[in-house]
Amino acid sequence: MNRYEVIIYWSEDDGRYIAEVPELPGCMADGETRMEVLNNVETIISEWLETANLEGREIPVPKGKLAYA
């Protein structure tokens, strides 16, 4: 399990749940259920971190709740 904050909301336009990871730019996933979107975003976070590592990009340290409020 990652330690990055994940924001989940329902998108009427998409008809799906959306999960965004504010500390990882562009890192987001969707799903038909809350459980599906949680599983999907865990996969996407891992892929985001792996790609950043391969490209030598800085990986943000998880700051947790309200880091961007």
Side-chain angles (χ1 to χ4, degrees), residues 9-67:
Y9 59 91
W10 175 257
S11 170
E12 285 295 333
D13 292 338
D14 299 314
R16 299 175 71 82
Y17 286 95
I18 305 296
E20 295 184 16
V21 186
E23 294 173 276
L24 305 177
C27 188
M28 56 192 315
D30 68 343
E32 290 184 17
T33 65
R34 291 179 63 84
M35 208 52 171
E36 182 180 25
V37 77
L38 276 172
N39 288 331
N40 292 347
V41 80
E42 289 296 329
T43 299
I44 296 302
I45 290 169
S46 294
E47 291 174 359
W48 193 103
L49 295 171
E50 181 180 332
T51 300
N53 218 359
L54 288 171
E55 294 179 354
R57 288 188 279 147
E58 185 177 336
I59 296 175
V61 175
K63 295 179 183 163
K65 187 177 179 183
L66 302 177

